[in-house]
Amino acid sequence: MRLIDGKAVAEKIQEQIKEKVAEMRLQSQRVPHLAAVLVGNDGASLTYVSNKVRACEKVGFRSTLIHLPEYITEAELLAQVQALNENPDIDGYIVQLPLPSHINAKKITYAISPDKDVDGFHPTNVGKLALGLPTFVPATPLGIIQLIEHYQISTEGKHCVVIGRSHIVGLPMSLLMSRNAYPGNCTVTLTHSRTANLAEETRRADILIAALGKPEFIKAEMVKEGAVVIDVGITRLPDASKKSGFVLKGDVAFEEVAPRCSYITPVPGGVGPMTIAALLKNTLLAAEKVV
Ligand code: NAD
């Protein structure tokens, strides 16, 4: 069994981006500028957004955090989105999800200019992804693709089972693994909460990608011997022994599943750090106007 070290791969990618930004500075080019919009004070969202802003600073990007109060109206948020679309100083931006329930998240996502949509959630970008055209690939699936590439894991002709059909992870992941490219060329089964006999499906997987958000849901008997297991899940479970008061758990029961795998990602330190590196990569693409 080989442990996939997402932290190390993410650091390497960030180092490459940092060098690229240093070069841009040297040639007096403007450096990429990412904005992040955060509404309200959800603890996990605050952590995610501040990690993204910090990562920008580390590689030399400019970053702007726009922190708005929980009670902001949908119209006010749409006006903020419009202002970011029109601001030539901003290359790309994200609106951190989830949004408060009085705001229609779809309406906000669809209002983001596709050219600045570094999360890759806009229908134009999802359509491009489905057609295999260059676009902003959502950060978590892009991070997973980069991990598979880094470890030179073979994918052609393999059976890949994705658990979860969300628009930010499972669905784009299934498109990427089935495309005619490397990594890709898999036969993909996309499973979800209505899938009958999930374990029967997962046991057939050469590559299993779990993104359902249920801690330690995947047990050893659900995994084929020698499978590659990518654990996307992150759930905070209360733990009084920790300073933070919680512990992070993946969707895979790591201790019992790991011995069966050829490769496995840990939680934390697997997919999570890659998501941020992928967002930086998308911001660089946005600044270079190559998408
Ligand atoms: P989501 O809640 O939007 O989607 C979950 C999906 O899992 C749904 O499609 C649902 O049908 C499916 N599902 C739920 N229960 C199931 C079951 N019993 N059997 C089969 N399928 C089932 O979640 P999401 O946004 O896609 O996130 C999934 C997990 O990944 C969460 O834990 C989230 O925190 C984590 N996540 C991690 C990163 C990262 O950077 N590592 C990024 C995004 C999401």
Side-chain angles (χ1 to χ4, degrees), residues 223-245:
V223 178
K224 178 162 131 180
E225 195 69 46
V228 174
V229 174
I230 309 286
D231 188 354
V232 186
I234 305 178
T235 305
R236 287 180 172 202
L237 292 181
D239 185 336
S241 72
K242 301 277 178 216
K243 210 172 119 200
S244 60

Side-chain angles (χ1 to χ4, degrees), residues 140 163-166 168 192-193 211-214 217 232-234 272 275:
T140 303
I163 313 177
R165 58 182 161 188
S166 77
I168 64 167
H192 44 75
S193 55
L212 68 159
K214 300 237 153 78
F217 182 89
V232 186
I234 305 178
T275 297

Side-chain angles (χ1 to χ4, degrees), residues 105-256:
K106 262 192 198 162
K107 224 170 163 177
I108 304 299
T109 301
Y110 296 179
I112 296 173
S113 165
D115 303 338
K116 295 190 176 187
D117 169 39
V118 285
D119 261 339
F121 297 161
H122 190 281
T124 298
N125 290 327
V126 178
K128 284 183 174 176
L129 180 67
L131 293 173
L133 299 171
T135 188
F136 298 115
V137 176
T140 303
L142 176 58
I144 294 170
I145 288 294
Q146 288 172 326
L147 280 180
I148 292 173
E149 233 173 348
H150 181 88
Y151 284 86
Q152 297 177 351
I153 294 169
S154 112
T155 57
E156 187 168 320
K158 304 286 183 201
H159 188 180
C160 174
V161 175
V162 179
I163 313 177
R165 58 182 161 188
S166 77
H167 294 171
I168 64 167
V169 189
L171 179 70
M173 202 64 239
S174 71
L175 290 171
L176 289 163
M177 295 307 277
S178 60
R179 70 192 171 152
N180 185 1
Y182 175 77
N185 279 319
C186 286
T187 302
V188 175
T189 302
L190 180 57
T191 66
H192 44 75
S193 55
R194 307 291 173 92
T195 297
N197 301 321
L198 182 69
E200 239 172 64
E201 303 296 340
T202 59
R203 272 197 292 270
R204 277 201 285 268
D206 301 308
I207 302 170
L208 179 62
I209 303 177
L212 68 159
K214 300 237 153 78
E216 304 194 319
F217 182 89
I218 304 297
K219 309 288 187 213
E221 67 271 14
M222 297 171 78
V223 178
K224 178 162 131 180
E225 195 69 46
V228 174
V229 174
I230 309 286
D231 188 354
V232 186
I234 305 178
T235 305
R236 287 180 172 202
L237 292 181
D239 185 336
S241 72
K242 301 277 178 216
K243 210 172 119 200
S244 60
F246 65 83
V247 63
L248 294 180
K249 286 279 175 209
D251 287 344
V252 176
F254 185 87
E255 295 300 325
E256 58 177 273

Side-chain angles (χ1 to χ4, degrees), residues 276-291:
I276 292 193
L279 174 69
L280 296 177
K281 189 114 194 192
N282 277 345
T283 306
L284 187 59
L285 292 178
E288 291 175 325
K289 306 265 183 281
V290 286
V291 169

